Amino acid sequence: MRGVADSLMMHSWLVLGFVAAVAGYDYTTVPGLNHDTWWGPEGKEEDTSIRPFQIKWEKAMIDDLVYRLENRREFVPSMDDTAYHYGVNTHTIGYWLDYWARDYNFTAREAYVNKHPQFITNMQGLDVHFVRIVPEVPEGKRKIPLLLLHGFPGSFLEFHEAIDHLIAGVADKDFVFEIVAPSLIGFGYSDYTNKQGLGGAEMAVIFKKLMNRLGHDKFFVQGGDWGAHIADIMVVFFQEEIIGMHTNLGMALTDKAFSMISMGSLYPEALMPNDLIGRLYPLKDTLQWLMREFGYFHFQATKPDTIGICVTDTPSGMFAWFAQLISMASRRANYDDPRGGLDLYTPEQLIDNAMIYWAPNKASSAMRIYAETVNWRNYDMGFINEPSSVPIVVVQAPDEIYYMPPAALNTKYTNLVAVDVLSEGGHFLAYEMPEQFAKLVISAVERILNHKQCDKSEL
Ligand SMILES: *[C@@H]1O[C@H](CO)[C@@H](O)[C@H](O)[C@H]1NC(C)=O
């Protein structure tokens, strides 16, 4: 009899086969990216004004949400001692669903999510929502524009606390930040499109143009998860505009990086210090882990509208789908915890973030980013193998979803200024440890500014 491990192994080889097929793909045609695609309803004009915006949670929406939470059907009990092995444990998830319906203070939390100034402007037909904090610039200091890009199933709230630390943390520096943190397209309070083809590359264009509209020809970008991927695309397409990049998900998806990592199985010591080898090798373990945990990725990349119906109609289902991902991406050990390790976050943190999907009804449209990015159209654009000389600092948390050695990162980022290796932390670094995250970003910005290839006169 073949066991689960065997079937996982087989799936792992299928993934490798897919990677190999992609690696052998002919990238020679690189069609240009259209910068002016109209994503909105026909017959409308782009309203370039920048309008102040406040999130409002209507009573009718809250009443309906609480009703759905309170009247959920009884879940089939998880089997004994299965923790998160079969997905979200139904013995424990009720804690957060009840909290949402009974203890979550909608009034107080609405005020909280509005704590930073927010705006809306129209880009290529879509209203784009963003937090923007314009600083006073004291004598002798200069202003550094910083674009913060979140991912899935996160929101602009991932940076909510980190923003305060970023602002306070530069008091003794010779610069201040102007911070811009948008909702990705189709997420939160940004519009979605009804037209096909708006993926990571098209968002890179939109957010670059957003920064330009706010008066910044050049800026820094920080990203994790999808934000990291969008930033990756920005530093290829807009090498002149991006002063530097900071990422907590440093991924070079180049053919060379994959070859290097495959060959590195034979002699990992050649690629990384001994104490980091276990983050990637044996490769079989990494591939098995990816196969076990990344079903959601395949699903969202191929059938987002089906799961979209489930997460749109039931807040319990939506919360559970997100809980699964937040659990697995935060700590590997969460798999064996009946509460999925979700207590790493406060109930308010988890529910605030869920509200940014539920209230504006964006869970379904947000999922489309997978289908619109993970496809041949994007591969054909060629940016994946295209190197960037933009100065980059990568931070690597031990429980991040993937570890990549510096030599592999170098195949994409030819100007890798530093790799900061952490001994604690997961995928949602800004949400999990906002103060430390802010320190890392500030230090990265300083190092990039001091880097010899960065022309300071540009600022
Ligand atoms: C909810 O928060 C509001 C605003 O902070 C506060 O006035 C109210 O007393 C809180 N409600 C409860 C039930 O704690």
Side-chain angles (χ1 to χ4, degrees), residues 164-216:
D164 293 331
H165 294 293
L166 282 166
I167 291 169
V170 295
D172 61 347
K173 310 292 178 198
D174 63 357
F175 59 86
V176 289
F177 286 125
E178 171 165 342
I179 289 167
V180 179
S183 292
L184 299 189
I185 307 304
F187 287 67
Y189 293 87
S190 289
D191 281 350
Y192 54 79
T193 178
N194 289 322
K195 298 184 175 135
Q196 283 185 58
L198 204 172
E202 292 73 19
M203 288 195 205
V205 169
I206 289 173
F207 294 129
K208 195 278 282 191
K209 285 168 58 179
L210 171 66
M211 291 304 275
N212 295 162
R213 184 174 295 171
L214 301 179
H216 309 302

Side-chain angles (χ1 to χ4, degrees), residues 102-360:
R102 297 166 197 174
D103 301 318
Y104 183 77
N105 186 331
F106 288 92
T107 313
R109 299 318 290 175
E110 184 194 61
Y112 174 77
V113 301
N114 279 307
K115 84 168 176 169
H116 297 307
Q118 300 155 83
F119 303 88
I120 296 261
T121 191
N122 195 277
M123 308 292 308
Q124 299 170 227
L126 301 177
D127 275 357
V128 176
H129 163 249
F130 55 99
V131 162
R132 182 193 192 188
I133 297 170
V134 182
E136 299 274 329
V137 186
E139 184 86 16
K141 294 204 185 198
R142 62 199 152 141
K143 185 162 75 174
I144 305 247
L146 173 63
L147 175 67
L148 300 173
L149 295 174
H150 71 82
F152 184 91
S155 63
F156 74 97
L157 291 184
E158 285 182 55
F159 303 113
H160 226 45
E161 292 305 306
I163 285 171
D164 293 331
H165 294 293
L166 282 166
I167 291 169
V170 295
D172 61 347
K173 310 292 178 198
D174 63 357
F175 59 86
V176 289
F177 286 125
E178 171 165 342
I179 289 167
V180 179
S183 292
L184 299 189
I185 307 304
F187 287 67
Y189 293 87
S190 289
D191 281 350
Y192 54 79
T193 178
N194 289 322
K195 298 184 175 135
Q196 283 185 58
L198 204 172
E202 292 73 19
M203 288 195 205
V205 169
I206 289 173
F207 294 129
K208 195 278 282 191
K209 285 168 58 179
L210 171 66
M211 291 304 275
N212 295 162
R213 184 174 295 171
L214 301 179
H216 309 302
D217 293 338
K218 292 175 187 283
F219 55 93
F220 271 86
V221 61
Q222 200 291 330
D225 195 84
W226 278 110
H229 186 66
I230 295 168
D232 276 345
I233 299 170
M234 283 183 152
V235 296
V236 169
F237 286 143
F238 311 120
Q239 308 214 11
E240 295 302 312
E241 282 102 330
I242 313 293
I243 307 165
M245 165 175 161
H246 181 259
T247 175
N248 43 310
L249 182 61
M251 292 265 273
L253 300 174
T254 60
D255 303 349
K256 278 184 195 157
F258 282 116
S259 305
M260 198 179 277
I261 286 167
S262 306
M263 289 188 291
S265 297
L266 299 174
Y267 192 57
E269 296 83 353
L271 282 183
M272 61 192 85
N274 274 327
D275 60 330
L276 298 181
I277 289 174
R279 291 190 184 187
L280 183 61
Y281 297 111
L283 212 46
K284 167 176 79 67
D285 291 355
T286 295
L287 291 172
Q288 282 182 354
W289 184 81
L290 289 171
M291 283 313 303
R292 194 185 77 195
E293 301 296 343
F294 275 61
Y296 86 95
F297 190 103
H298 191 164
F299 207 95
Q300 293 183 199
T302 53
K303 307 285 190 291
D305 287 8
T306 306
I307 185 65
I309 290 170
C310 309
V311 296
T312 299
D313 202 47
T314 150
S316 309
M318 188 195 86
F319 191 87
W321 188 260
F322 290 5
Q324 171 69 72
L325 304 186
I326 292 168
S327 169
M328 78 81 178
S330 293
R331 293 289 184 278
R332 296 288 200 280
N334 288 347
Y335 187 63
D336 295 318
D337 178 356
R339 290 173 68 82
L342 295 178
D343 300 295
L344 181 63
Y345 308 95
T346 63
E348 276 74 17
Q349 277 184 299
L350 296 173
I351 298 169
D352 290 345
N353 182 64
M355 284 296 290
I356 302 302
Y357 287 85
W358 183 266

